[in-house]
Amino acid sequence: MNQRIGLLLVNLGTPDAPRAPEVRRYLRQFLNDPRVIDINPVGRWLLLNLIILPFRPAKSAEAYTKIWGERGSPLLMHGQDLRKAVAERMPTLEVELAMRYGNPDIAAALDRLHDAGCDHIVVLPLYPQYAASSTGSSVELVYREAAQRWNTPFITVVPPFYDDLRFIEAFAQVAQPVLDDLSPDHVLMSFHGLPERHMHKSDPSGAHCLKVDDCCSTIGPHNRNCYRAQCYATAHSLAGRLGIEADAWSVGFQSRLGRTPWIKPYTDEMLPKLVERGVHKLAVMCPAFVADCLETLEEIGMRAEEDFKAAGGKQLVLVPSLNSHPAWVDAVVGLAQEVLPEGPRRQVARTNSGRLPVVPADS
């Protein structure tokens, strides 16, 4: 029997327009997810409706206005371009793009795949590192929406690709020309932050993540689903591929929200410290994002640049994300093919020693 297969690319999401009402609607859906703000439902309602939604949408809309293009949201634009390029490379598959929050939504994408005759759907969450608030939430919603159908599709999920050679090579190809042109004093790899409690909840032992000094030095049974450990693994692989010396790169975590402790070190607090160390030209890579968006273009490319210069730095350059770069299209095609019947073996990046640099839990 010839089975029609669909490929569903899933990213986090974006508001429909850079205006307060659309941003409010997007934030309400996003921040009301119990995997994102994982607190008591009553506390989440109060936080969302009394503190965040009355004030944040207007400020966020202003930030979105700075990056909005002729085709709209950069995240959506790059996702559409990626979907088109992958579909051209995989003509036997139906390829759809969906967002966990906002549009195009997952339910509608599943409907389109069903109407195209797809009984088997390969889901590729476009998050290199696993987090329950991104990958976990997206996969959960796919399963939930699929379960509403009488004929439920067979679903295969592509696992996190933080250490996949194709992903590393694609990011290196994007970054290398920027680094060659800038000759930076230092390279900062800035990943999206998460509350520390998410790391604790991902640790089945309850005694490893952020509990021991070198908790992120290797990935094993206790931290196999730890977002922070996977970020450091990505950073180490990228630094090795790009030939960056050990003292010429570091990792930071951005976009924290609220007063609870988030994983450290914080990107914004690192900028003046790097200037104090004599860094005048700084390149920033954001390997948690496969498409440029508010967090890369505005938070790093604009605000972080201003902060770095205000602290005495001379130049901060944002390395573009993967977007629809040909090497990234190759990587997506390879990741999808791998989970199809008789797919090739996964290409995992390994260091010479197999061990990552020791990273203190409180750094």
Side-chain angles (χ1 to χ4, degrees), residues 225-251:
N225 291 315
C226 176
Y227 172 78
R228 186 175 185 267
Q230 292 185 8
C231 288
Y232 273 102
T234 296
H236 190 264
S237 294
L238 277 171
R241 167 60 182 81
L242 291 165
I244 307 172
E245 297 294 333
D247 60 350
W249 66 274
S250 54
V251 167

Side-chain angles (χ1 to χ4, degrees), residues 8 10 29 98-102 104-114 121 123 136-155:
L8 181 60
V10 183
Q29 184 186 13
M99 299 293 173
R100 172 58 182 89
Y101 314 102
D105 65 23
I106 287 175
L110 289 175
D111 285 340
R112 289 191 294 272
L113 291 172
H114 173 270
I121 298 173
V123 180
S137 179
S138 298
V139 172
E140 178 191 11
L141 184 59
V142 169
Y143 283 134
R144 198 187 323 145
E145 291 291 347
Q148 303 303 312
R149 290 152 172 78
W150 181 258
N151 295 319
T152 57
F154 297 95
I155 294 174

